[in-house]
Amino acid sequence: MRALFGIFLLAACADAAADPGAEAPPPTVKLAEARPIAAALDLSVTGTVRLDEETDLAFTSAGRIARVTVDTGDRVKRGQRLAALDSTTVGADLEAARAEQRRARAELARNRDLFDQGWVTRAVLDNLEATLRSANARVESAGFAARTATIDAPADGVILARMGDPGQTVQAGAPVLSFGGASEGFVLSVPLTDRLAAGRRMGEAASVNVAALGPGPIPARLTELAGRADPATGTFLAEFTLTPRAGLRSGQVGSVTLAPPATDSDQTAADALIIPTSALFAARAGAALVWRYDPADNTVTPQEVVPGPLSDNGVRIERGLKAGDRVVIAGLEELSPGAEVVAR
């Protein structure tokens, strides 16, 4: 069997050698598209998705948490009771302040009668009036503490995080819940370098991709840009408002594609294109050739171009190509004018 297979191979080789007119398969080449410089240099910056209105909710006075009625991820309505302090302490403070207020008011009233009769001096009356004003202030303070011993939802939204539990003692201002308002939608917060921040226009369009939602960009627009850089990072925080999209959640990672800033001096030619440097051959002063691919018949033809400056992204083409033209960047050595190729 092996001998027969060997005879078959020898016969096949002999037939191939005897047929010099047999056509070689078309060469395989790799293509790249001539793109406008601005599109070729678009930059992607990564940031975090969050609700436009996010805030920490806290009690205005210290105390022991009596109850928390929501948990992370719960949807809430405006005015809904979310948490409350044990009212024993604040209630006692308010009652003590009111008792002192009543005593100070009565004491002042008695001494006014005595002042009118000439039994007390004006200085005594002034001191009692000051004591009543102080008592009134303590009632107001204790009343405010009693009124704010609860946390209510400031708007319709969602609970992003829960940091407090019943029985826990908290200080005034310590975050108990993190709340996200639903009315303003989602934004992508990204840090921009000073170079990227320069020349940005409020309201300019952008394209955002969120990996968790799969392929498909989300239209967005620039709505906020910090006027001062972060001292620690030297970057400017920018916020892009996202078009509503099902599945968006606070904390997701996204990236925004930005065009290069207008301050780039080497981007002055609006009609200039960029291609990989490997596409050029037969370069001479002020000119070079590329193989331009014709998708109609899968052939290539040499095209003279005028190259410009080189960069990490490729070579700028001043003339000779138009946006969307495809050129060969690998496999050039096997080509001839009008040759049919296999593109990949």
Side-chain angles (χ1 to χ4, degrees):
M1 184 68 178
R2 290 182 179 176
L4 182 60
F5 184 72
I7 294 172
F8 176 80
L9 286 177
L10 289 173
C13 292
D15 289 342
D19 185 11
E23 294 185 2
T28 298
V29 298
K30 184 177 180 181
L31 304 177
E33 185 176 300
R35 296 183 292 163
I37 283 181
L41 297 183
D42 280 354
L43 299 172
S44 180
V45 185
T46 300
T48 304
V49 175
R50 66 173 185 82
L51 285 162
D52 189 34
E53 294 182 359
E54 291 190 3
T55 184
D56 288 338
L57 304 180
F59 297 108
T60 59
S61 57
R64 186 176 65 86
I65 298 176
R67 61 186 181 277
V68 180
T69 62
V70 291
D71 210 339
T72 302
D74 287 352
R75 296 279 175 177
V76 297
K77 295 292 186 180
R78 183 185 188 92
Q80 179 178 334
R81 182 61 45 85
L82 307 179
L85 286 177
D86 186 337
S87 60
T88 303
T89 301
V90 292
D93 289 344
L94 178 58
E95 186 54 38
R98 285 173 175 169
E100 175 61 22
Q101 183 187 49
R102 290 191 295 268
R103 188 202 63 78
R105 186 180 293 125
E107 184 72 11
L108 177 61
R110 284 193 301 270
N111 280 270
R112 273 179 178 160
D113 291 339
L114 294 174
F115 175 76
D116 292 339
Q117 298 171 20
W119 292 102
V120 298
T121 65
R122 183 69 213 182
V124 170
L125 198 65
D126 288 344
N127 286 336
L128 292 174
E129 288 176 345
T131 299
L132 179 59
R133 287 194 296 270
S134 177
N136 291 338
R138 284 195 293 272
V139 168
E140 183 62 30
S141 176
F144 177 77
R147 292 192 301 272
T148 57
T150 58
I151 295 176
D152 297 334
D156 293 352
V158 61
I159 301 302
L160 303 175
R162 170 174 161 170
M163 297 84 86
D165 294 298
Q168 179 180 345
T169 299
V170 293
Q171 296 300 316
V176 175
L177 298 167
S178 180
F179 170 82
S183 60
E184 299 299 324
F186 289 89
V187 297
L188 180 74
S189 297
V190 297
L192 301 182
T193 63
D194 54 353
R195 183 170 174 269
L196 275 178
R200 300 260 80 90
R201 302 181 311 278
M202 299 304 296
E204 72 175 79
S207 178
V208 170
N209 283 278
V210 178
L213 302 184
I218 302 173
R221 58 188 177 86
L222 178 64
T223 50
E224 285 190 28
L225 180 61
R228 181 180 181 180
D230 185 314
T233 64
T235 59
F236 295 80
L237 185 65
E239 289 187 358
F240 293 83
T241 297
L242 306 179
T243 300
R245 173 86 172 266
L248 282 171
R249 296 288 185 274
S250 185
Q252 291 172 328
V253 176
S255 60
V256 60
T257 300
L258 299 173
T263 53
D264 284 354
S265 59
D266 61 343
Q267 313 298 317
T268 54
D271 56 349
L273 305 173
I274 193 167
I275 62 173
T277 55
S278 58
L280 299 179
F281 70 98
R284 57 188 185 278
L289 294 177
V290 298
W291 290 107
R292 185 165 57 84
Y293 173 74
D294 186 349
D297 55 7
N298 299 319
T299 60
V300 293
T301 54
Q303 173 67 47
E304 184 174 339
V305 296
V306 177
L310 296 174
S311 72
D312 292 340
N313 300 280
V315 58
R316 193 167 94 180
I317 301 299
E318 309 288 0
R319 291 194 305 275
L321 293 173
K322 62 181 184 297
D325 281 348
R326 299 167 73 188
V327 296
V328 177
I329 60 172
L332 284 72
E333 61 279 353
E334 302 179 28
L335 302 181
S336 59
E340 184 179 354
V341 298
V342 176
R344 63 181 176 89

